[in-house]
Amino acid sequence: MKYVLVTGGVVSGLGKGVTASSIGVVLKACGLRVTSIKIDPYLNTDAGTMSPFEHGEVFVLDDGGEVDLDLGNYERFLDVTLTKDNNITTGKIYQSVLEKERKGDYLGKTVQVVPHITDAIRNWIETVSVIPVDGKEGPADVCVIELGGTVGDIESMPFIEALRQLFFSVGQDNFCLIHVSLIPVLGVVGEQKTKPTQHSVRELRALGLTPHFLACRSAQPLLENTKQKLSQFCHVPVFNILNIHDVPNIWHIPLLLRRQHAHDAILKHLNLLSVATAPDLREWTKRAETFDNLQNSVRIAMVGKYVGSADSYLSVVKALLHACIACSLKPSIDWIAASDLEDESAELTPEAHAAAWKTLKEAACVLVPGGFGDRGVKGMILAAKYARENKVPYLGICLGMQIAVIEFARSVLGLQTANSTEFDADTEIPVVIFMPEGSKTYMGSTMRLGSRRTLLQTPDCITAKLYHNTDYVDERHRHRYEVNPELVGSLEEAGLQFVGKDGSGKRMEILEIPKHPFYVGVQFHPEFKSRPGRPSALFLGFILAATGQLEAYLSKQQNGSL
């Protein structure tokens, strides 16, 4: 196994995940099989209980793993299916070591960070790196490891030591360290400054790791004298200094690396030149250039709780991007804080209230994504009602589906007190209830998680047609509440169709409203399996409906011309 380690210095948020993913793309384009591991030094065992405001979205894998959003980048860029073990956290490592200690596996020895924690990290990496993630048999050729955080962080020290030991054990030909660092330009001087990177590399070397490559983040391309200076003071050859400057969209980054012959240098270092081919990035080039040249856009109202941070809905944003590009459009997302749509907001913050409603009414479609808690729920219900009554395309994901059910029960069935037990535990009419198998004591890993099968109830619905008339779909879930099966009959009699159910027939998975251009709610999260060049069927249908192209698309599909 060949290892490519990506570390970060100076500041966080430099784009280590995209850099690591792009390196994987270029190596995969050279004919190599690539897997990836993300190391998060925080103490949480997984990302499941972390706030989207603080950490961005929780990405869900097929096996139910709740992991860091960077694993979403890996899956989208590399088109692989990762496992929860591809995300290593301090909590997972310490938990595994303490379980062994409780069982007596260490034979009475004092359990310490070195060697027990560092050995556990090394063993985890070596075990996970050989698990196939691309649908083929046997291990990959290269494992790209991203170490989260910034070099010098106290919590990452055991991982640095374990990786130093891994480097020593596998040898120079099998280990490549790429350090991502910032090259700032001071406004007063206008000069590219290398000192922060010098200090970062010095810190890394003091910990026993010397970078073989520098991936320098900058606004503008690096000047030649800046590269020379970095080479001299960081002991990295000039041709191993890669520059990842600002680009129009992230799909340009693998192309940027190829133009700098990063693949040749990495392959040479790992002694893989003899088995690799010239990189074939034609699809990436076409995709990046197509996006740059798009002129028309579609306005999408995103009504949610966490609109202050785009990372909170990163996979939804990417899925919209994939669908829009397939329709030769640029996505224009209007972020609307759900609470701004509420009646209380009209009194407390009238300007924000008016602006939110103006934005909603100007959008071509409305999307209500997933979330937890009751904040903003009234605003989401108003958005769902507006979309239903005004024939505006609506896509409700997880919470967004439950919101659609509550709104329909109140407005159409006249059940004004209908609610979810998540928002009102004592509601008289619980149209959304807590799942019987759920746990109210523990928050983490107690939801319905991962890939589950949904059986489509009729071929004559928009969802079935978008999924190419299949009998079932396998999508990823993350929820602990569901539509109350006792009220399904009343809802369906009033015109709300549940066109997708689980194997038992009691769990509602997909709803539609007939004779509406596109009113779809899904209990699962289709955004997690959307890929560049292979958009999610529901997101594609949503954008097609927003631009008046859905009927023509479905007609072509039925006639076999798609």
Side-chain angles (χ1 to χ4, degrees):
M1 178 61 64
K2 309 283 186 177
Y3 297 97
V4 175
L5 171 63
V6 178
T7 60
V10 183
V11 292
S12 59
L14 285 178
K16 290 191 306 296
V18 174
T19 302
S21 303
S22 299
I23 289 164
V25 166
V26 177
L27 294 177
K28 186 177 177 182
C30 291
L32 300 174
R33 293 174 62 198
V34 180
T35 185
S36 61
I37 292 173
K38 172 70 190 295
I39 296 173
D40 284 303
Y42 48 67
L43 274 171
N44 307 61
T45 53
D46 60 38
T49 59
M50 299 173 78
S51 165
F53 283 120
E54 182 176 324
H55 197 70
E57 76 170 4
V58 176
F59 190 80
V60 179
L61 302 170
D62 266 7
D63 65 2
E66 296 174 282
V67 296
D68 184 83
L69 57 81
D70 279 323
L71 273 80
N73 277 327
Y74 301 149
E75 283 208 341
R76 284 187 289 268
F77 269 54
L78 299 172
D79 198 13
V80 293
T81 303
L82 300 173
T83 72
K84 58 188 173 187
D85 290 338
N86 288 80
N87 192 194
I88 304 174
T89 70
T90 298
K92 283 182 180 178
I93 295 295
Y94 275 78
Q95 192 175 56
S96 68
V97 168
L98 289 172
E99 283 173 1
K100 285 184 177 180
E101 184 272 334
R102 291 290 86 186
K103 287 192 244 174
D105 289 359
Y106 297 115
L107 304 176
K109 288 185 178 179
T110 304
V111 180
Q112 297 175 291
V113 174
V114 181
H116 301 101
I117 295 296
T118 51
D119 281 356
I121 295 167
R122 281 177 55 200
N123 292 339
W124 194 303
I125 290 171
E126 290 177 321
T127 301
V128 172
S129 64
V130 298
I131 297 173
V133 295
D134 57 2
K136 300 175 184 175
E137 292 185 0
D141 302 304
V142 180
C143 177
V144 179
I145 305 169
E146 179 196 344
L147 176 61
T150 308
V151 169
D153 294 345
I154 192 166
E155 59 262 35
S156 64
M157 293 302 181
F159 292 101
I160 292 279
E161 173 58 22
L163 291 161
R164 184 196 66 77
Q165 293 177 16
L166 180 65
F167 177 29
F168 182 73
S169 66
V170 302
Q172 181 86 12
D173 287 354
N174 298 312
F175 193 96
C176 171
L177 199 167
I178 300 173
H179 189 57
V180 182
S181 187
L182 178 68
I183 305 295
V185 172
L186 296 184
V188 180
V189 185
E191 179 188 356
Q192 293 178 336
K193 308 299 286 186
T194 64
K195 190 63 74 177
T197 298
Q198 291 179 43
H199 283 301
S200 182
V201 170
R202 187 180 304 157
E203 177 89 26
L204 192 58
R205 293 176 71 190
L207 296 170
L209 285 170
T210 299
H212 304 110
F213 292 80
L214 292 179
C216 300
R217 287 284 290 110
S218 60
Q220 300 296 327
L222 284 188
L223 300 173
E224 193 57 37
N225 67 324
T226 306
K227 285 188 177 182
Q228 294 290 345
K229 197 171 181 182
L230 285 167
S231 176
Q232 183 180 358
F233 288 102
C234 298
H235 295 196
V236 175
V238 172
F239 49 82
N240 282 7
I241 296 175
L242 310 173
N243 180 207
I244 302 176
H245 54 76
D246 291 353
V247 290
N249 65 73
I250 60 172
W251 292 332
H252 280 283
I253 296 176
L255 309 179
L256 199 61
L257 292 171
R258 181 190 60 183
R259 283 200 297 273
Q260 298 174 56
H261 300 285
H263 56 288
D264 288 331
I266 294 169
L267 292 170
K268 182 179 179 182
H269 181 90
L270 294 174
N271 198 22
L272 286 169
L273 281 171
S274 60
V275 297
T277 61
D280 181 2
L281 288 167
R282 283 173 294 182
E283 275 191 33
W284 277 90
T285 305
K286 183 181 177 183
R287 192 176 298 127
E289 291 176 351
T290 297
F291 184 51
D292 289 345
N293 296 321
L294 291 175
Q295 301 297 319
N296 299 322
S297 62
V298 56
R299 292 189 65 175
I300 306 155
M302 180 94 83
V303 184
K305 290 176 57 179
Y306 316 114
V307 295
S309 169
D311 275 359
S312 300
Y313 301 114
L314 185 62
S315 289
V316 174
V317 171
K318 297 299 182 187
L320 287 170
L321 175 63
H322 303 158
C324 284
I325 287 180
C327 299
S328 299
L329 294 164
K330 279 192 174 184
S332 176
I333 300 174
D334 294 321
W335 299 91
I336 300 175
S339 53
D340 286 345
L341 294 170
E342 296 173 1
D343 295 339
E344 292 88 338
S345 174
E347 298 177 10
L348 300 172
T349 53
E351 289 183 6
H353 178 77
W357 273 103
K358 182 176 184 290
T359 303
L360 181 68
K361 289 177 179 178
E362 289 175 350
C365 52
V366 178
L367 192 154
V368 177
F372 298 92
D374 61 356
R375 187 170 56 80
V377 163
K378 291 178 184 176
M380 294 178 202
I381 290 172
L382 288 169
K385 182 177 183 180
Y386 166 79
R388 181 181 59 80
E389 292 181 341
N390 293 279
K391 298 287 193 280
V392 176
Y394 175 89
L395 178 59
I397 299 171
C398 197
L399 174 63
M401 172 192 172
Q402 296 169 7
I403 290 293
V405 173
I406 295 169
E407 188 279 319
F408 193 89
R410 290 181 183 181
S411 302
V412 180
L413 289 179
L415 306 173
Q416 294 301 322
T417 57
N419 212 337
S420 166
T421 55
E422 180 180 9
F423 315 135
D424 180 4
D426 301 318
T427 179
E428 296 173 0
I429 306 172
V431 290
V432 177
I433 59 171
F434 192 78
M435 291 191 308
E437 70 268 38
S439 167
K440 292 188 178 180
T441 308
Y442 292 96
M443 299 293 286
S445 296
T446 58
M447 292 182 275
R448 188 164 179 255
L449 290 164
S451 183
R452 307 286 178 125
R453 180 153 292 183
T454 295
L455 304 179
L456 294 165
Q457 305 300 301
T458 170
D460 191 30
C461 65
I462 288 175
T463 304
K465 292 171 184 175
L466 286 169
Y467 278 106
H468 302 288
N469 295 307
T470 182
D471 295 329
Y472 64 88
V473 294
D474 293 326
E475 294 280 9
R476 298 176 184 178
H477 293 67
R478 185 177 187 251
H479 66 106
R480 53 168 62 92
Y481 289 84
E482 64 187 12
V483 177
N484 187 345
E486 293 180 6
L487 292 172
V488 167
S490 301
L491 291 163
E492 289 200 311
E493 283 176 19
L496 192 68
Q497 282 194 350
F498 289 98
V499 299
K501 301 179 183 181
D502 76 337
S504 71
K506 295 180 179 179
R507 187 164 276 151
M508 302 304 111
E509 294 278 9
I510 308 169
L511 67 80
E512 289 185 12
I513 294 181
K515 297 181 182 177
H516 190 289
F518 187 95
Y519 196 95
V520 179
V522 290
Q523 190 59 75
F524 48 77
H525 290 263
E527 68 269 24
F528 291 139
K529 293 177 85 168
S530 182
R531 299 285 182 267
R534 203 169 68 249
S536 159
L538 288 170
F539 277 85
L540 179 60
F542 179 56
I543 297 301
L544 287 167
T547 54
Q549 302 176 70
L550 181 59
E551 282 190 26
Y553 174 84
L554 294 179
S555 176
K556 282 183 183 177
Q557 187 173 283
Q558 293 296 105
N559 296 332
S561 53
L562 275 182

